[in-house]
């Protein structure tokens, strides 16, 4: 066994700095488990003049602006990719595999888009490829799913896997501030980027759900299979109605697998206050897993940040080095068990929240109710409030379980009804007792 | 690679029946991961006439009342011990290791008492020894700690690791029923044993905390190192005061590690409603982990039950068989890194809840307050209620952080004060912002 394993780092930004600091700081614990030291031999940086927050005695780490200094160094056995972005990262990782280097990455964009290609390249070169940090930062959810649920059938996943949107929605719910104000505060506190699109549009969460689905259901889900709706423009009024009815709005990554068919989407949804996910506040993340045998389980923690993400990266590095020492690298890849088959709308069931305005006339509600009945949809909860305009009424309903195609048909018919002025909002409802 | 791996089962009770059912039911998923089938070849039963709930086509499993039929069978490579109890289970496992069989157990009593001996025997025989199911049933917490936190320093653990007591306390809190009534209902629903002592006295939780501590802190904690107080006789009045002050009572397994010193105990404690553990209700379990890098994380799920526990057992079996195929069995044991050193009372800090009765006289509270000040203890919250007796008052205080020895000294002095009639209760407070 070697005295020391050399790691090459691609990217010394927020996560990369954390990786260097933490490898130094927890060197003794790591060495105790591995029987050898771990050393960041070289690190790729973009701008040599930029100052970095590395809390470590750097012990001779060489900084370079040329990726080949890392990728062609025969002493480097493990490459840690934390540079972000797609094309350059992908090429670097493929180069690393071609040179028989193992790879650990935190890059969810890349794994979501090119996971199959990268896994295939890893397998071909008998290399390890791990990416625990790519989903829910410091929460060991990928191990939880692959190892902890190895004997179970995972039937459903629900994830709060984007800290920015959870922070914004928590703020709106708790303090009654508008979406715009909550976003602004999130940006000031560093929980949201100056350009928040990837977060608030749900794309970041969709990437994580694609990765989770593949591992949980053993079927290859592409990023474009994940239906996405963001939180942009959510009306505070809906949060308040939901609250009155016993629900909290969250951006939920939902995935279901039954009859070998998958449903996966990311959308703002109401979750029952009785459900464990309802208590996941602020920037925290959580993934709720429903296993046929285990039943309900939830993994909760910090979904981002330099140190939590770095800890996940280095735990993967520890796994890789253990595999190296045992001579079993490249053996973790398991081909998907199922061919991808996505559920159609008539196979997707759920409860729904609908808010709409009607003319305040005798018999309107009974006509609406019988319209829904035509589509075999009945109401579980109804709330009717007088509107500011004396001639109109605002109605909020929560339906019993119904198929998505029937809901869409009902909403279209509702919209065409003369007494209905507008349909203001429409959200899925999760975690209610009947689900 | 073999076509099939033969497993021997010791015990076909609640968990053993689940193991047989689940191996049959999820055979395809297991086979997909392993490239071979898993078969329960023989199973030790105590009473051949007892009926069993095995939902499986038994595929030729032989039931025997002689443990040697399992332990001496050369075809059996993995022994699953789910018979419970101590001495017979210990001997059987040692025999299994001596015959180079790998062992998976759900037996927390045994692992808490003889973990070191069993690990040593496993290592000597190059065998695997896994016991994920021994702590918090279906929640993959041991993997979470050893693999997921491999790069981090775990500084603190708090666990709700006993479903029976959590069910009772939830019932008392939500419905205002007495301890005795809640226990009775838990017994009727099967959440508590006819003899509930091991659960309500905290011993079951203590065993799990001993196991968790060893893995989290890499130091060998004996069961007797865990200080234990049960929930027996908890007064509903305290739950209600706690509720008013923003706290919920839980049986908390608490473990802390700093300066290479350990503190570990199980006791009913008040937990802030803001803390993720406060929302863990009914029979559910959760383990909250505080890592230096990761920060807060929590693992939540079913802590017991036939299927969740069986799922954890079989996930361990899958791990063992993967190791067998890779030729790396017996390599997971890592010697403890630290010699055991327990914190003394002056090194243990916390906030405390104290309820006591005093004579309702002028100046009493100021004398009590200055008494606490003498021990450098100040109050964070104070609640004073008139008592039924017009001459006495009931006082509830929550202190700021203080060392346990000072708290004990203060309570003794308080008890000796002429104006103090009695000290009714005294609980630790966890999860408050200042902790």
């Amino acid at each position: 066994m070697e005295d020391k394993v050399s790691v090459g780092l691609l990217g010394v930004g927020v996560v990369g700095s954390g990786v260097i600091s933490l490898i130094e700081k927890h060197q003794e614990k790591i060495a105790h488990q591995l029987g050898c030291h771990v050393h960041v031999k070289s690190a790729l940086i973009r701008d040599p003049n930029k100052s970095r927050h590395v809390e470590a005695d750097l012990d001779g780490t060489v900084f370079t602006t040329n990726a080949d200094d890392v990728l062609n160094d025969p002493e480097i056995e493990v490459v840690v990719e934390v540079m972000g972005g797609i094309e350059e990262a992908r090429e670097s990782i493929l180069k690393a595999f071609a040179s028989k280097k193992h790879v650990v990455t935190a890059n969810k964009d890349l794994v979501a888009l090119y996971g199959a290609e990268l896994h295939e390249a890893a397998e071909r070169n008998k290399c390890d490829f791990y990416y625990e940090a790519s989903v829910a930062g410091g929460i060991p959810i990928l191990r939880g799913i692959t190892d902890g649920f190895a004997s179970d059938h995972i039937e459903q996943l629900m994830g709060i896997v984007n800290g920015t949107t959870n922070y914004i929605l928590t703020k709106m719910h708790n303090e009654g501030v508008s979406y715009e104000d909550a976003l602004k505060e999130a940006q000031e506190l560093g929980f949201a980027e100056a350009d928040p699109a990837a977060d608030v549009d749900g794309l970041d969460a969709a990437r994580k759900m694609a990765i989770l689905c593949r591992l949980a259901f053993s079927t290859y889900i592409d990023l474009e299979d994940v239906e996405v709706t963001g939180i942009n423009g959510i009306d505070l009024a809906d949060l308040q109605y939901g609250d009155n009815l016993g629900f909290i709005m969250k951006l939920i990554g939902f995935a279901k697998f039954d009859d070998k068919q998958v449903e996966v989407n990311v959308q703002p949804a109401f979750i029952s206050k009785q459900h464990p996910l309802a208590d996941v506040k602020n920037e925290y993340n959580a993934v709720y897993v429903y296993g046929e045998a285990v039943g309900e389980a939830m993994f909760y923690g910090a979904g981002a940040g330099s140190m939590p993400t770095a800890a996940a990266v280095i735990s993967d590095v520890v796994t890789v080095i253990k595999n190296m020492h045992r001579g079993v690298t490249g053996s973790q890849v398991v081909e998907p068990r199922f061919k991808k088959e996505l559920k159609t709308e008539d196979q997707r069931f759920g409860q729904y929240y609908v808010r709409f305005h009607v003319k305040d006339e005798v018999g309107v509600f009974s006509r609406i109710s019988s319209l829904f009945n035509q589509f075999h949809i009945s109401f579980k909860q109804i709330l009717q409030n007088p509107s500011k305009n004396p001639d109109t009424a605002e109605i909020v309903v929560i339906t019993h379980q119904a198929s998505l195609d029937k809901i869409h048909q009902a909403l279209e018919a509702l919209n065409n009804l003369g007494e209905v002025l507008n349909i203001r909002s429409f959200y899925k409802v999760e975690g209610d007792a009947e689900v």
Side-chain angles (χ1 to χ4, degrees), chain A residues 111-113 115 210-223:
Chain A
V111 179
L113 280 174
I211 298 171
L212 282 172
C213 270
R214 290 172 199 164
L215 296 174
F217 305 146
S218 194
T219 182
Y220 198 84
I221 296 295
D222 288 296
L223 181 56

Side-chain angles (χ1 to χ4, degrees), chain A residues 52-363:
Chain A
R52 288 180 175 76
H53 299 283
V54 177
E55 294 170 34
D57 170 5
L58 283 178
D59 190 23
T61 298
V62 175
F63 291 86
T64 171
T65 52
N66 181 356
D68 288 337
D69 290 348
V70 177
L71 298 170
N72 293 339
D73 183 337
E75 273 185 28
I76 287 176
E77 297 179 88
V78 185
V79 169
V80 170
E81 186 277 303
V82 285
M83 64 209 287
I86 305 286
E87 215 26 67
E88 197 186 341
R90 173 172 161 262
E91 277 169 30
S92 299
I93 291 178
L94 291 173
K95 261 195 200 176
F97 287 142
S99 316
K100 313 293 176 197
K101 298 184 194 312
H102 311 291
V103 174
V104 170
T105 179
N107 192 330
K108 59 193 163 292
D109 311 22
L110 186 63
V111 179
L113 280 174
Y114 294 106
E117 180 192 21
L118 297 172
H119 264 299
E120 190 275 324
E123 197 172 18
R124 188 158 21 90
N125 291 289
K126 297 204 188 324
C127 288
D128 273 353
F129 178 48
Y130 286 97
Y131 41 87
E132 180 66 74
S134 69
V135 179
I139 309 172
I141 180 62
L142 302 190
R143 288 159 207 279
I145 283 178
T146 50
D147 300 337
F149 282 75
S151 69
D152 203 2
H153 281 169
I154 296 177
E155 297 178 344
Q156 192 176 306
L157 293 172
M158 287 201 280
I160 295 174
V161 288
N162 179 275
T164 304
T165 48
N166 203 44
Y167 181 87
I168 292 171
L169 291 174
T170 303
K171 192 95 194 152
M172 288 174 72
H173 182 268
N174 289 354
E175 299 174 25
V177 298
S178 71
Y179 168 76
E180 290 72 19
D181 289 347
L183 171 61
K184 208 173 144 219
E185 188 179 320
Q187 286 171 320
E188 282 163 11
L189 290 170
F191 291 131
E193 308 277 341
D195 175 5
D199 291 317
V200 301
D201 293 348
L203 179 60
D204 176 81
R207 289 166 180 151
K208 293 163 180 168
M209 290 309 296
I211 298 171
L212 282 172
C213 270
R214 290 172 199 164
L215 296 174
F217 305 146
S218 194
T219 182
Y220 198 84
I221 296 295
D222 288 296
L223 181 56
E224 65 250 37
D225 299 325
V226 187
E227 279 184 19
V228 189
T229 311
I231 66 163
N232 205 322
I234 281 179
D235 190 338
L236 206 50
D238 288 308
L239 267 69
Q240 284 156 351
Y241 280 123
D243 190 43
N244 290 340
L245 294 164
F247 298 92
I248 292 181
M249 190 173 287
K250 298 283 180 190
L251 184 69
I252 297 286
F254 177 91
K256 193 170 179 154
F257 185 70
D258 54 19
D259 295 328
K260 300 183 183 166
Q261 294 174 319
V262 176
E263 167 183 1
V264 52
N265 51 69
V266 169
Q267 58 188 359
F270 281 113
I271 189 129
S272 162
K273 289 180 188 172
Q274 301 308 312
H275 194 279
L277 283 174
D279 301 309
V280 178
K281 299 180 194 98
N282 299 317
E283 76 278 18
Y284 279 91
N285 280 203
V287 179
Y288 171 90
V289 183
Y290 194 92
E292 186 189 321
V294 167
E296 297 193 299
M298 189 175 79
F299 300 74
Y300 166 96
S306 174
M307 283 301 168
T309 310
V313 165
I314 302 169
S315 291
D316 276 350
V317 171
V318 168
T319 300
V320 170
I321 297 174
K322 278 186 187 167
N323 289 344
M324 283 165 50
H325 288 163
R326 294 167 174 180
V328 294
T329 52
S331 64
Q332 100 270 28
V333 177
V334 173
E335 286 298 307
R337 206 176 135 204
F338 302 104
K339 213 169 141 279
K340 177 173 76 185
E341 202 179 323
L342 298 172
K343 282 184 193 289
T344 48
E345 289 204 350
D346 58 316
Q347 296 167 318
R348 294 167 53 179
F349 294 85
Q351 289 181 266
Y352 294 89
Y353 163 106
V354 188
R355 175 162 68 102
F356 51 98
H357 290 144
V358 297
K359 291 182 192 157
D360 197 3
E361 293 168 358
V362 175

